[in-house]
PDB file of all heavy atoms in Angstrom:
ATOM      1  N   ALA V 139      -4.593  -6.315 -25.145  1.00 96.00           N
ATOM      2  CA  ALA V 139      -5.333  -5.079 -24.837  1.00 96.00           C
ATOM      3  C   ALA V 139      -5.429  -4.897 -23.315  1.00 96.00           C
ATOM      4  O   ALA V 139      -5.273  -3.784 -22.802  1.00 96.00           O
ATOM      5  CB  ALA V 139      -6.718  -5.122 -25.464  1.00 96.00           C
ATOM      6  N   ASP V 140      -5.673  -5.994 -22.602  1.00 96.00           N
ATOM      7  CA  ASP V 140      -5.727  -5.942 -21.131  1.00 96.00           C
ATOM      8  C   ASP V 140      -4.408  -5.431 -20.561  1.00 96.00           C
ATOM      9  O   ASP V 140      -4.384  -4.650 -19.610  1.00 96.00           O
ATOM     10  CB  ASP V 140      -5.986  -7.348 -20.546  1.00 96.00           C
ATOM     11  CG  ASP V 140      -7.435  -7.798 -20.701  1.00 96.00           C
ATOM     12  OD1 ASP V 140      -8.245  -7.021 -21.250  1.00 96.00           O
ATOM     13  OD2 ASP V 140      -7.744  -8.929 -20.284  1.00 96.00           O
ATOM     14  N   LYS V 141      -3.311  -5.902 -21.158  1.00 95.00           N
ATOM     15  CA  LYS V 141      -1.977  -5.488 -20.670  1.00 95.00           C
ATOM     16  C   LYS V 141      -1.834  -3.973 -20.754  1.00 95.00           C
ATOM     17  O   LYS V 141      -1.310  -3.339 -19.837  1.00 95.00           O
ATOM     18  CB  LYS V 141      -0.870  -6.147 -21.509  1.00 95.00           C
ATOM     19  CG  LYS V 141      -0.488  -7.521 -21.008  1.00 95.00           C
ATOM     20  CD  LYS V 141       0.750  -8.032 -21.753  1.00 95.00           C
ATOM     21  CE  LYS V 141       0.914  -9.519 -21.517  1.00 95.00           C
ATOM     22  NZ  LYS V 141       1.748 -10.169 -22.553  1.00 95.00           N
ATOM     23  N   ALA V 142      -2.301  -3.414 -21.876  1.00 96.00           N
ATOM     24  CA  ALA V 142      -2.197  -1.958 -22.068  1.00 96.00           C
ATOM     25  C   ALA V 142      -3.052  -1.230 -21.028  1.00 96.00           C
ATOM     26  O   ALA V 142      -2.626  -0.218 -20.467  1.00 96.00           O
ATOM     27  CB  ALA V 142      -2.629  -1.590 -23.486  1.00 96.00           C
ATOM     28  N   ILE V 143      -4.249  -1.756 -20.759  1.00 96.00           N
ATOM     29  CA  ILE V 143      -5.145  -1.143 -19.759  1.00 96.00           C
ATOM     30  C   ILE V 143      -4.485  -1.172 -18.383  1.00 96.00           C
ATOM     31  O   ILE V 143      -4.474  -0.180 -17.650  1.00 96.00           O
ATOM     32  CB  ILE V 143      -6.496  -1.907 -19.719  1.00 96.00           C
ATOM     33  CG1 ILE V 143      -7.284  -1.641 -21.004  1.00 96.00           C
ATOM     34  CG2 ILE V 143      -7.310  -1.514 -18.488  1.00 96.00           C
ATOM     35  CD1 ILE V 143      -8.452  -2.584 -21.223  1.00 96.00           C
ATOM     36  N   LYS V 144      -3.883  -2.325 -18.056  1.00 95.00           N
ATOM     37  CA  LYS V 144      -3.244  -2.455 -16.737  1.00 95.00           C
ATOM     38  C   LYS V 144      -2.023  -1.544 -16.630  1.00 95.00           C
ATOM     39  O   LYS V 144      -1.771  -0.961 -15.572  1.00 95.00           O
ATOM     40  CB  LYS V 144      -2.848  -3.915 -16.483  1.00 95.00           C
ATOM     41  CG  LYS V 144      -4.034  -4.794 -16.125  1.00 95.00           C
ATOM     42  CD  LYS V 144      -3.603  -6.209 -15.758  1.00 95.00           C
ATOM     43  CE  LYS V 144      -3.306  -7.030 -16.993  1.00 95.00           C
ATOM     44  NZ  LYS V 144      -2.963  -8.424 -16.678  1.00 95.00           N
ATOM     45  N   ALA V 145      -1.283  -1.422 -17.747  1.00 95.00           N
ATOM     46  CA  ALA V 145      -0.076  -0.586 -17.721  1.00 95.00           C
ATOM     47  C   ALA V 145      -0.438   0.853 -17.374  1.00 95.00           C
ATOM     48  O   ALA V 145       0.283   1.517 -16.618  1.00 95.00           O
ATOM     49  CB  ALA V 145       0.650  -0.655 -19.068  1.00 95.00           C
ATOM     50  N   VAL V 146      -1.563   1.325 -17.907  1.00 94.00           N
ATOM     51  CA  VAL V 146      -2.013   2.689 -17.597  1.00 94.00           C
ATOM     52  C   VAL V 146      -2.332   2.801 -16.107  1.00 94.00           C
ATOM     53  O   VAL V 146      -1.908   3.743 -15.433  1.00 94.00           O
ATOM     54  CB  VAL V 146      -3.249   3.069 -18.455  1.00 94.00           C
ATOM     55  CG1 VAL V 146      -3.860   4.382 -17.966  1.00 94.00           C
ATOM     56  CG2 VAL V 146      -2.862   3.170 -19.926  1.00 94.00           C
ATOM     57  N   ALA V 147      -3.074   1.810 -15.581  1.00 95.00           N
ATOM     58  CA  ALA V 147      -3.440   1.838 -14.151  1.00 95.00           C
ATOM     59  C   ALA V 147      -2.192   1.781 -13.278  1.00 95.00           C
ATOM     60  O   ALA V 147      -2.067   2.524 -12.304  1.00 95.00           O
ATOM     61  CB  ALA V 147      -4.371   0.672 -13.825  1.00 95.00           C
ATOM     62  N   PHE V 148      -1.248   0.910 -13.645  1.00 94.00           N
ATOM     63  CA  PHE V 148      -0.050   0.726 -12.821  1.00 94.00           C
ATOM     64  C   PHE V 148       0.863   1.953 -12.857  1.00 94.00           C
ATOM     65  O   PHE V 148       1.677   2.157 -11.963  1.00 94.00           O
ATOM     66  CB  PHE V 148       0.736  -0.511 -13.278  1.00 94.00           C
ATOM     67  CG  PHE V 148       0.007  -1.810 -13.039  1.00 94.00           C
ATOM     68  CD1 PHE V 148       0.248  -2.918 -13.851  1.00 94.00           C
ATOM     69  CD2 PHE V 148      -0.913  -1.929 -12.015  1.00 94.00           C
ATOM     70  CE1 PHE V 148      -0.412  -4.113 -13.634  1.00 94.00           C
ATOM     71  CE2 PHE V 148      -1.585  -3.119 -11.785  1.00 94.00           C
ATOM     72  CZ  PHE V 148      -1.339  -4.220 -12.598  1.00 94.00           C
ATOM     73  N   ALA V 149       0.739   2.764 -13.919  1.00 94.00           N
ATOM     74  CA  ALA V 149       1.584   3.955 -14.035  1.00 94.00           C
ATOM     75  C   ALA V 149       1.049   5.110 -13.191  1.00 94.00           C
ATOM     76  O   ALA V 149       1.701   6.141 -13.040  1.00 94.00           O
ATOM     77  CB  ALA V 149       1.682   4.384 -15.502  1.00 94.00           C
ATOM     78  N   HIS V 150      -0.154   4.935 -12.637  1.00 94.00           N
ATOM     79  CA  HIS V 150      -0.750   5.970 -11.798  1.00 94.00           C
ATOM     80  C   HIS V 150       0.181   6.276 -10.632  1.00 94.00           C
ATOM     81  O   HIS V 150       0.764   5.375 -10.057  1.00 94.00           O
ATOM     82  CB  HIS V 150      -2.091   5.441 -11.257  1.00 94.00           C
ATOM     83  CG  HIS V 150      -2.933   6.474 -10.603  1.00 94.00           C
ATOM     84  ND1 HIS V 150      -2.936   6.670  -9.244  1.00 94.00           N
ATOM     85  CD2 HIS V 150      -3.791   7.381 -11.118  1.00 94.00           C
ATOM     86  CE1 HIS V 150      -3.779   7.647  -8.958  1.00 94.00           C
ATOM     87  NE2 HIS V 150      -4.324   8.095 -10.070  1.00 94.00           N
ATOM     88  N   LEU V 151       0.347   7.556 -10.313  1.00 92.00           N
ATOM     89  CA  LEU V 151       1.269   7.884  -9.234  1.00 92.00           C
ATOM     90  C   LEU V 151       0.655   8.865  -8.242  1.00 92.00           C
ATOM     91  O   LEU V 151       0.220   9.948  -8.615  1.00 92.00           O
ATOM     92  CB  LEU V 151       2.568   8.466  -9.799  1.00 92.00           C
ATOM     93  CG  LEU V 151       3.661   8.605  -8.734  1.00 92.00           C
ATOM     94  CD1 LEU V 151       4.146   7.254  -8.239  1.00 92.00           C
ATOM     95  CD2 LEU V 151       4.828   9.413  -9.263  1.00 92.00           C
ATOM     96  N   VAL V 209      -7.900   2.801  -9.309  1.00 97.00           N
ATOM     97  CA  VAL V 209      -7.287   3.171 -10.591  1.00 97.00           C
ATOM     98  C   VAL V 209      -7.695   2.207 -11.708  1.00 97.00           C
ATOM     99  O   VAL V 209      -7.397   2.447 -12.875  1.00 97.00           O
ATOM    100  CB  VAL V 209      -5.747   3.252 -10.499  1.00 97.00           C
ATOM    101  CG1 VAL V 209      -5.344   4.425  -9.607  1.00 97.00           C
ATOM    102  CG2 VAL V 209      -5.125   1.967  -9.984  1.00 97.00           C
ATOM    103  N   LEU V 210      -8.384   1.129 -11.350  1.00 98.00           N
ATOM    104  CA  LEU V 210      -8.923   0.222 -12.361  1.00 98.00           C
ATOM    105  C   LEU V 210     -10.120  -0.493 -11.761  1.00 98.00           C
ATOM    106  O   LEU V 210     -10.062  -0.941 -10.618  1.00 98.00           O
ATOM    107  CB  LEU V 210      -7.843  -0.771 -12.814  1.00 98.00           C
ATOM    108  CG  LEU V 210      -8.172  -1.715 -13.981  1.00 98.00           C
ATOM    109  CD1 LEU V 210      -6.910  -2.019 -14.790  1.00 98.00           C
ATOM    110  CD2 LEU V 210      -8.808  -3.011 -13.524  1.00 98.00           C
ATOM    111  N   ARG V 212     -12.656  -2.894 -13.924  1.00 97.00           N
ATOM    112  CA  ARG V 212     -13.242  -3.379 -15.179  1.00 97.00           C
ATOM    113  C   ARG V 212     -12.961  -4.858 -15.383  1.00 97.00           C
ATOM    114  O   ARG V 212     -12.205  -5.459 -14.613  1.00 97.00           O
ATOM    115  CB  ARG V 212     -12.746  -2.548 -16.364  1.00 97.00           C
ATOM    116  CG  ARG V 212     -11.251  -2.568 -16.558  1.00 97.00           C
ATOM    117  CD  ARG V 212     -10.875  -1.797 -17.800  1.00 97.00           C
ATOM    118  NE  ARG V 212     -10.788  -0.348 -17.566  1.00 97.00           N
ATOM    119  CZ  ARG V 212     -10.716   0.553 -18.541  1.00 97.00           C
ATOM    120  NH1 ARG V 212     -10.748   0.173 -19.797  1.00 97.00           N
ATOM    121  NH2 ARG V 212     -10.587   1.826 -18.258  1.00 97.00           N
ATOM    122  N   VAL V 222      -8.345  -2.380  -8.879  1.00 98.00           N
ATOM    123  CA  VAL V 222      -6.998  -2.052  -8.408  1.00 98.00           C
ATOM    124  C   VAL V 222      -7.086  -0.765  -7.600  1.00 98.00           C
ATOM    125  O   VAL V 222      -7.654   0.231  -8.066  1.00 98.00           O
ATOM    126  CB  VAL V 222      -6.003  -1.860  -9.581  1.00 98.00           C
ATOM    127  CG1 VAL V 222      -4.616  -1.498  -9.049  1.00 98.00           C
ATOM    128  CG2 VAL V 222      -5.928  -3.108 -10.449  1.00 98.00           C
ATOM    129  N   ASP V 224      -4.804   2.127  -5.633  1.00 98.00           N
ATOM    130  CA  ASP V 224      -3.477   2.713  -5.444  1.00 98.00           C
ATOM    131  C   ASP V 224      -3.412   3.287  -4.030  1.00 98.00           C
ATOM    132  O   ASP V 224      -4.191   4.171  -3.682  1.00 98.00           O
ATOM    133  CB  ASP V 224      -3.254   3.816  -6.492  1.00 98.00           C
ATOM    134  CG  ASP V 224      -1.839   4.378  -6.451  1.00 98.00           C
ATOM    135  OD1 ASP V 224      -1.065   3.982  -5.554  1.00 98.00           O
ATOM    136  OD2 ASP V 224      -1.504   5.209  -7.318  1.00 98.00           O
ATOM    137  N   MET V 230       0.046  -0.945  -4.564  1.00 98.00           N
ATOM    138  CA  MET V 230      -1.340  -1.188  -4.984  1.00 98.00           C
ATOM    139  C   MET V 230      -1.820  -2.556  -4.523  1.00 98.00           C
ATOM    140  O   MET V 230      -1.036  -3.484  -4.383  1.00 98.00           O
ATOM    141  CB  MET V 230      -1.439  -1.135  -6.518  1.00 98.00           C
ATOM    142  CG  MET V 230      -1.025   0.210  -7.112  1.00 98.00           C
ATOM    143  SD  MET V 230      -1.301   0.282  -8.898  1.00 98.00           S
ATOM    144  CE  MET V 230      -0.665   1.933  -9.252  1.00 98.00           C
ATOM    145  N   GLU V 243     -13.604   3.589 -11.377  1.00 97.00           N
ATOM    146  CA  GLU V 243     -12.279   4.196 -11.494  1.00 97.00           C
ATOM    147  C   GLU V 243     -12.347   5.666 -11.089  1.00 97.00           C
ATOM    148  O   GLU V 243     -13.261   6.372 -11.468  1.00 97.00           O
ATOM    149  CB  GLU V 243     -11.770   4.025 -12.935  1.00 97.00           C
ATOM    150  CG  GLU V 243     -11.472   2.562 -13.234  1.00 97.00           C
ATOM    151  CD  GLU V 243     -11.194   2.271 -14.700  1.00 97.00           C
ATOM    152  OE1 GLU V 243     -11.072   3.216 -15.502  1.00 97.00           O
ATOM    153  OE2 GLU V 243     -11.104   1.073 -15.036  1.00 97.00           O
ATOM    154  N   ARG V 272       0.966  -5.135  -5.320  1.00 97.00           N
ATOM    155  CA  ARG V 272       1.943  -4.722  -6.313  1.00 97.00           C
ATOM    156  C   ARG V 272       2.737  -3.537  -5.785  1.00 97.00           C
ATOM    157  O   ARG V 272       2.174  -2.600  -5.204  1.00 97.00           O
ATOM    158  CB  ARG V 272       1.188  -4.318  -7.577  1.00 97.00           C
ATOM    159  CG  ARG V 272       1.995  -4.433  -8.819  1.00 97.00           C
ATOM    160  CD  ARG V 272       1.141  -3.989 -10.005  1.00 97.00           C
ATOM    161  NE  ARG V 272       2.011  -3.325 -10.941  1.00 97.00           N
ATOM    162  CZ  ARG V 272       2.664  -3.950 -11.900  1.00 97.00           C
ATOM    163  NH1 ARG V 272       2.499  -5.230 -12.099  1.00 97.00           N
ATOM    164  NH2 ARG V 272       3.477  -3.282 -12.702  1.00 97.00           N
TER     165      ARG V 272
END
Side-chain angles (χ1 to χ4, degrees):
D140 284 359
K141 274 188 195 159
I143 290 166
K144 284 185 281 183
V146 170
F148 293 152
H150 191 264
L151 190 67
V209 293
L210 186 148
R212 60 176 83 193
V222 179
D224 186 355
M230 300 185 182
E243 291 170 8
R272 205 181 145 89

